[in-house]
Amino acid sequence: MDLRDYLRVLSRRWRVIAIVALLGTAAGILTSVVATPEYRATTTLFASLQSGADTSQLIQGNSFTQARVQSYTDVATSPAVTKPVVKALRLDMTPTQLAARISAEAPLNTVLVRLTVTDTRAARAARISNAVATRFAQVIRELERPEKSKSPSPVRLTVTQPAAVPPAPSSPNTALNVALGLAVGLLLGLGLGVAVETVDTSMRDSKALAECLEGAGGPAVLSSIVQDPRAVRQPVSLRDDRHGLRAEGFRKLRVNLQFAEVDQRPKVIAVTSPLPREGKSSVSVNLAATLAEEGARVCLIDCDLRRPSIAPALGLVRDAGLTTVLVGRAELHQVLQSAGAFSVLTSGMIPPNPTQLLGSTYFGDLLHTLAEQFDHVVVDTPPVLPFADTAAMAPAIDGYLLVARAGRTSRSQVVDALRILQRVNVQVLGAVLNGAPARGEGEAYGYAYKYRPKQSAKARLTALVSSRSAAGVRSRGPAAKGHGAPVPVPVPVSAKTRP
């Protein structure tokens, strides 16, 4: 992985990295809270020779002392020092335990020895440090005294800086623990993000979907529809923001579909997806609205007889629709409803045998009739992988449009759905990536935010009041409750409405 790949992991998995980093920081704080405070008290001793009258002897003595003090540090933790200290201070520890709390150092090119004692009590740490220094000086004098001689030891250790009671604990170091926890958390989070990114086979952007389709011998990606939280409240993007990113994404889909088959343009287009909840119904609705934007006669059919969603999304009556016509209880013109610029044939009552119904000749004749009356027929179908409904209606379809959900649909699911559609000998016109991240689709989307018509303050206020008024009428109208005729939605003057 290069730097660009790591930056991509950071942009996609920043939540995981942030959570792990916060956990590491919390672990550092918790370590500081639960740790027992420890205090360090240090005593400094000066080593010197008691003999030497002239300068040369003093220089030799200084070199001798510097060489000897390096060995004195090991004596500080010997039983000869610790055992008398434990007995004299009546400490509740063994000499070995006391030795573990003593550290001695002799800086190079000096004749100083620093004895440091660590303890859970500040005053006791200072008292033990001073006692160890005193006993340490006595042991060194005894070791340096010539054997069987009553003369004093040539080496003398003098306390130059006795240990004082430390005002604050030396550990735990809260700042250091928090910094280490944050650093370790960031590293672990980055590693976890890289691991998740490696095993994640979902379609993250249109490039990944295009590579997947190319490897499986499938069609091209016709458009990417960016994620927009307003799509739940306003399913038709053209009515929400005519110049928004979602609306432009569906216009791009319309244009690419028109050039998918130049010789014989498909009239009956089935929109499907590998699994549920991938946005095929939203793509169907907006594709119908975008095709009707040019003035074409468009009919949208809800053929998802497993979980129909077109009627509630557009505020239409669901009980009378496709199944009502197929069982002979109503004529086609009696159940067609208007959604503004295009007509809608809702699902009707959910039948017990949707696969047989959609694979029947009656359904094929119905689509043929609609194809003669309308310029375009958009069919919202059930998901491909769980059900056989989509493949069963293949003889009546001119082409399929496969919808994949960014971050949800996996590579294997796209390939399996494509294989099923290819086996029914009906052309797959292209694929659509739904819910794509705006930042993950290149710099063109960032430019699209700014490239829109300038609007005066008065026009913006008028558009806002009109949209809220229309939304209020639709929510209070009889169609919202499923009673009576649907309330027409205002559309542009140039659009044709098919009753």
Side-chain angles (χ1 to χ4, degrees), residues 46-396:
F46 180 83
S48 61
L49 287 178
Q50 301 188 58
S51 61
D54 55 12
T55 304
S56 62
Q57 291 182 350
L58 290 175
I59 294 175
Q60 293 177 358
N62 185 61
S63 301
F64 171 79
T65 304
Q66 290 182 9
R68 301 288 280 185
V69 293
Q70 298 298 325
S71 302
Y72 293 163
T73 56
D74 295 334
V75 180
T77 57
S78 64
V81 175
T82 58
K83 188 174 182 180
V85 173
V86 170
K87 184 178 180 180
L89 299 181
R90 298 179 180 180
L91 301 176
D92 54 348
M93 64 183 71
T94 63
T96 303
Q97 293 174 339
L98 176 59
R101 300 187 180 191
I102 299 173
S103 62
E105 64 171 347
L108 293 175
N109 301 324
T110 66
V111 292
L112 299 177
V113 178
R114 293 189 178 95
L115 300 176
T116 303
V117 175
T118 303
D119 195 80
T120 56
R121 299 178 184 176
R124 188 169 65 177
R127 190 168 66 253
I128 295 175
S129 181
N130 290 325
V132 169
T134 302
R135 178 56 188 170
F136 174 67
Q138 295 174 359
V139 172
I140 294 301
R141 282 198 300 268
E142 294 175 0
L143 292 176
E144 295 290 354
R145 180 182 300 169
E147 188 176 357
K148 297 180 181 180
S149 175
K150 296 182 179 180
S151 59
S153 172
V155 178
R156 181 177 62 184
L157 292 176
T158 305
V159 176
T160 59
Q161 185 176 353
V165 178
S170 59
S171 68
N173 190 335
T174 303
L176 179 61
N177 291 340
V178 171
L180 288 176
L182 177 60
V184 173
L186 287 175
L187 292 176
L188 291 178
L190 182 59
L192 182 60
V194 172
V196 172
E197 188 72 14
T198 303
V199 301
D200 186 12
T201 60
S202 62
M203 302 295 103
R204 286 289 169 184
D205 49 31
S206 58
K207 180 180 178 181
L209 180 58
E211 292 175 353
C212 175
L213 293 172
E214 183 180 0
V221 178
L222 300 183
S223 183
S224 295
I225 310 302
V226 298
Q227 177 68 24
D228 190 352
R230 296 177 298 179
V232 179
R233 302 187 303 270
Q234 182 56 269
V236 183
S237 60
L238 295 179
R239 300 173 186 172
D240 180 35
D241 187 358
R242 296 183 58 86
H243 302 282
L245 295 183
R246 292 187 73 243
E248 293 301 329
F250 287 112
R251 290 191 181 99
K252 180 180 178 181
L253 174 61
R254 178 191 66 197
V255 173
N256 290 335
L257 269 178
Q258 291 174 350
F259 289 95
E261 286 292 328
V262 180
D263 296 335
Q264 185 178 0
R265 293 184 179 180
K267 295 191 65 175
V268 182
I269 303 173
V271 182
T272 187
S273 62
L275 294 175
R277 304 181 64 84
E278 293 180 335
K280 61 176 183 57
S281 299
S282 175
V283 173
S284 301
V285 171
N286 284 276
L287 176 60
T290 308
L291 290 172
E293 186 183 26
E294 291 186 325
R297 298 170 300 170
V298 181
C299 180
L300 172 63
I301 309 176
D302 191 354
C303 290
D304 189 351
L305 303 182
R306 307 283 181 166
R307 186 185 294 174
S309 59
I310 299 296
L314 298 177
L316 304 177
V317 179
R318 195 201 72 180
D319 295 339
L322 174 63
T323 56
T324 311
V325 177
L326 292 179
V327 299
R329 294 184 179 179
E331 296 295 330
L332 178 60
H333 67 276
Q334 295 176 331
V335 295
L336 278 178
Q337 302 180 60
S338 174
F342 57 94
S343 300
V344 179
L345 180 61
T346 58
S347 63
M349 301 298 293
I350 298 178
N353 55 343
T355 304
Q356 291 81 356
L357 205 61
L358 295 176
S360 64
T361 57
Y362 298 103
F363 176 74
D365 295 339
L366 176 63
L367 286 187
H368 181 72
T369 302
L370 289 172
E372 292 180 346
Q373 297 180 8
F374 293 90
D375 299 323
H376 302 283
V377 178
V378 180
V379 182
D380 181 30
T381 70
V384 178
L385 297 182
F387 311 109
D389 303 6
T390 303
M393 66 175 69

Side-chain angles (χ1 to χ4, degrees), residues 1-9:
M1 296 180 64
D2 54 11
L3 179 59
R4 182 175 299 178
D5 294 329
Y6 283 107
L7 294 177
R8 186 179 298 110
V9 171

Side-chain angles (χ1 to χ4, degrees), residues 467-491:
S467 61
R468 291 186 175 179
S469 300
V473 170
R474 287 195 298 272
S475 62
R476 294 190 298 268
K481 299 181 181 179
H483 301 288
V487 178
V489 180
V491 296

Side-chain angles (χ1 to χ4, degrees), residues 444-467:
Y445 280 143
Y447 178 73
Y449 275 114
K450 301 177 182 178
Y451 196 77
R452 56 174 64 237
K454 293 184 178 181
Q455 198 174 20
S456 62
K458 181 178 180 181
R460 287 195 298 268
L461 180 61
T462 304
L464 179 62
V465 173
S466 301
S467 61

